[in-house]
Amino acid sequence: MKRTALYFIFAIATLIASASTEWTLQGKPYTVDTLNHINVGPSTTLTSLRLTGTQNLNVFYTTTDLTNPLIEMEVLKAKDIIYARQEVSGMALDHDSDSKQYFLGVNADFFNMRRGNSIGSQITDGELVYVDNSERTQWAISDDRLPIMDCLHISCTAIAGDKVANISGVNKVATTNSLNIFTPRYGASTDTTKNTYEVAIVPVDAPISVGKKVKMKVASAPATGGNMTIPANGYILSGTGTDNSFVKALSQGDIIEITTTISTSKGQNIAPTEVVSGYPVILSNGKVTNPVDILRHLNGLHPRTAVGNDKTGTKLVILIVDGRSNDSEGCTSKVLADIMSYAGCDDAMNLDGGGSSELYVRSLGICNVPSDGKERTVANGLFAIAKAPVDNEIASIAFAEFRKTIDGKDTYTPVIYGYNKYGIIVDKDVKGVKLSCPRQLGKITQKGTTLQPTGNKGTHTLTAHFGKLTASMPIIVK
């Protein structure tokens, strides 16, 4: 089910213009009704769909044009520490600033429900937040702003004199025969046991980051007591079992060179700024994969979260399917892949689902209905950021609904959104708007705020005016 970018644009335009269309998901027909389609940020739209078929499904997805220089993607760890959980909205609000506005977010990796650590690797702005080279897949965005979905290998190599060692993980619980790096994100200390050899190291020129060779100075003599305090401006290099020899040979004042490289499953070196794990890839080069034997729950009906992109890599889609309710039952991973394909994706990856599935928009709050009945605390999230200054001046307006169907006897008072020049919603209910419409549709009452239709059936146009700004929407009178 290959979809090109051109087809994607045409399909969405057709879907929005019509009351409904038909999709085939895993060989079964579904009627698809577009409930809403609005702008929610720079080059970013939010679309809400109702699918009726074998299962009833409510789908919410955003489409972001990554070529917009105002847009950046970022992965955030809950409360900026390894062992913590937090609501997606809370992560966004904690990091929001005048120059970086976190206007869109979604839950990301699977995680330990008790301790709050994510299952797979995470990199944020080039920083190694957590590294565990398991067989899980990752979503990453490269330094040329193109998304990547693959089973990535993150390699950290330490060199001290003529000795070379491979680092097993970053902020990962120490295992037998391993060499690990602990950063301040792990906590106050390493939580290791006795007979673990550890030294504190501090940056000489730059912190440890992706694609760079950096120098570290050994700030303490090797200790074997375990649970060493992690310096606020440095790291702990920790060795256990047969891998402790590298640490044992160090002396205070020694210089260590640490190099971090990331490679794809095909051996290509890349330097992504952001990495977040999920599992598995469900759509590859337009074809649905067959992952149901990997994780049992992939073949069940559950809420789902996915991230994907079109063939060009410039259109990013973040999508939620609600589940575990009579209104929206949830879907399998293969149905999710088909939905991502219809949403314009050529590649897509499954993220954590169930009660974690949540789509957050800064101006609108939680846009789907989480199956827990409320926002769940999760380990990390994937966010779209507007790198634009704070600007509360309304530069354009739009109806909160993109199309409205009313009975000929009903009145209608629309809500109007106000956007700044960067495409960010700055007013969810603009006051002072005046409506106008053709005579065959009806008349405007309540000081210009309300439509009173005449009862003439058909599709008409309602227009909103705010100063020199205008916006229009179709009104369908039945």
Side-chain angles (χ1 to χ4, degrees):
M1 286 176 54
K2 210 165 188 177
R3 300 288 189 275
T4 65
L6 181 61
Y7 181 86
F8 161 60
I9 295 170
F10 174 76
I12 292 299
T14 301
L15 178 60
I16 292 169
S18 61
S20 64
T21 190
E22 297 289 331
W23 286 359
T24 301
L25 306 178
Q26 290 300 293
K28 297 177 181 178
Y30 282 79
T31 299
V32 183
D33 293 299
T34 304
L35 304 182
N36 211 0
H37 179 79
I38 59 172
N39 294 319
V40 292
S43 300
T44 301
T45 58
L46 168 65
T47 305
S48 306
L49 305 176
R50 173 65 173 173
L51 278 62
T52 306
T54 304
Q55 283 86 40
N56 293 324
L57 301 173
N58 293 329
V59 176
F60 308 83
Y61 71 93
T62 58
T63 304
T64 300
D65 183 356
L66 294 177
T67 65
N68 187 328
L70 293 177
I71 294 290
E72 280 191 1
M73 303 302 298
E74 189 169 304
V75 182
L76 293 179
K77 181 67 188 75
K79 300 182 180 178
D80 295 323
I81 56 177
I82 299 300
Y83 295 109
R85 293 167 54 183
Q86 188 177 17
E87 295 88 352
V88 171
S89 62
M91 294 183 223
L93 292 171
D94 280 354
H95 289 81
D96 210 57
S97 68
D98 288 351
S99 59
K100 294 177 68 174
Q101 299 171 54
Y102 291 72
F103 71 91
L104 168 64
V106 69
N107 67 292
D109 196 6
F110 298 84
F111 59 95
N112 183 307
M113 292 284 288
R114 182 176 64 86
R115 301 196 70 187
N117 56 298
S118 60
I119 300 300
S121 299
Q122 178 185 328
I123 292 172
T124 298
D125 197 21
E127 177 195 348
L128 305 180
V129 176
Y130 180 71
V131 174
D132 178 9
N133 283 310
S134 64
E135 293 302 312
R136 291 186 177 268
T137 49
Q138 288 86 32
W139 178 93
I141 193 157
S142 63
D143 52 3
D144 58 2
R145 299 172 64 86
L146 292 176
I148 299 163
M149 272 169 272
D150 201 353
C151 188
L152 303 177
H153 182 77
I154 304 173
S155 174
C156 294
T157 302
I159 300 176
D162 60 352
K163 291 182 169 51
V164 180
N166 292 319
I167 296 167
S168 306
V170 175
N171 288 328
K172 179 182 174 182
V173 173
T175 57
T176 304
N177 304 325
S178 65
L179 183 63
N180 296 288
I181 289 176
F182 293 95
T183 81
R185 286 185 185 264
Y186 187 83
S189 59
T190 60
D191 198 31
T192 51
T193 59
K194 291 182 179 180
N195 300 320
T196 300
Y197 280 79
E198 295 179 325
V199 294
I201 57 177
V202 293
V204 173
D205 47 8
I208 299 170
S209 59
V210 175
K212 294 181 179 180
K213 179 187 288 186
V214 297
K215 292 181 179 180
M216 297 283 143
K217 184 177 181 179
V218 178
S220 67
T224 61
N227 201 31
M228 182 174 274
T229 299
I230 301 171
N233 62 338
Y235 313 91
I236 296 296
L237 188 60
S238 175
T240 64
T242 58
D243 279 351
N244 66 20
S245 59
F246 183 85
V247 181
K248 286 171 65 176
L250 295 173
S251 299
Q252 188 171 358
D254 284 352
I255 298 297
I256 304 173
E257 287 186 341
I258 295 180
T259 303
T260 304
T261 59
I262 300 180
S263 57
T264 66
S265 59
K266 296 180 179 179
Q268 177 189 3
N269 284 344
I270 58 174
T273 56
E274 309 294 322
V275 171
V276 69
S277 297
Y279 201 64
V281 171
I282 56 174
L283 188 67
S284 179
N285 294 321
K287 295 182 180 180
V288 177
T289 63
N290 187 32
V292 294
D293 294 332
I294 301 174
L295 294 174
R296 185 182 301 173
H297 71 75
L298 295 175
N299 207 28
L301 301 181
H302 298 288
R304 300 286 178 186
T305 303
V307 59
N309 55 266
D310 71 345
K311 192 172 184 178
T312 69
T314 61
K315 300 295 188 297
L316 181 77
V317 173
I318 292 173
L319 185 142
I320 297 283
V321 178
D322 276 349
R324 298 176 182 169
S325 74
N326 292 332
D327 191 48
S328 185
E329 298 173 65
C331 67
T332 67
S333 66
K334 287 188 175 182
V335 168
L336 177 66
D338 280 347
I339 293 173
M340 290 296 283
S341 181
Y342 276 110
C345 294
D346 204 57
D347 301 287
M349 187 178 80
N350 181 65
L351 297 172
D352 187 22
S356 300
S357 289
E358 172 195 330
L359 183 63
Y360 164 80
V361 172
R362 182 187 188 217
S363 52
L364 305 176
I366 309 306
C367 296
N368 68 309
V369 181
S371 63
D372 284 357
K374 61 180 180 179
E375 208 178 347
R376 175 183 284 184
T377 56
V378 295
N380 56 16
L382 176 61
F383 295 85
I385 304 167
K387 292 191 68 177
V390 172
D391 177 6
N392 293 318
E393 183 176 348
I394 296 175
S396 63
I397 60 172
F399 286 86
E401 300 173 279
F402 83 108
R403 181 181 58 219
K404 182 68 176 180
T405 299
I406 61 175
D407 187 275
K409 297 179 182 179
D410 293 338
T411 60
Y412 174 53
T413 303
V415 173
I416 307 297
Y417 290 159
Y419 296 80
N420 65 18
K421 64 182 178 182
Y422 303 109
I424 299 170
I425 299 175
V426 294
D427 192 334
K428 293 189 295 182
D429 189 6
V430 179
K431 302 302 182 183
V433 172
K434 302 295 183 183
L435 303 177
S436 67
C437 66
R439 186 173 300 174
Q440 59 267 32
L441 172 58
K443 63 180 180 178
I444 305 301
T445 63
Q446 301 297 317
K447 297 182 180 180
T449 62
T450 301
L451 167 67
Q452 176 66 62
T454 59
N456 291 324
K457 294 182 179 180
T459 301
H460 311 275
T461 300
L462 180 65
T463 302
H465 307 265
F466 182 69
K468 295 181 179 180
L469 305 176
T470 62
S472 298
M473 70 176 294
I475 300 290
I476 302 169
V477 181
K478 61 180 182 179

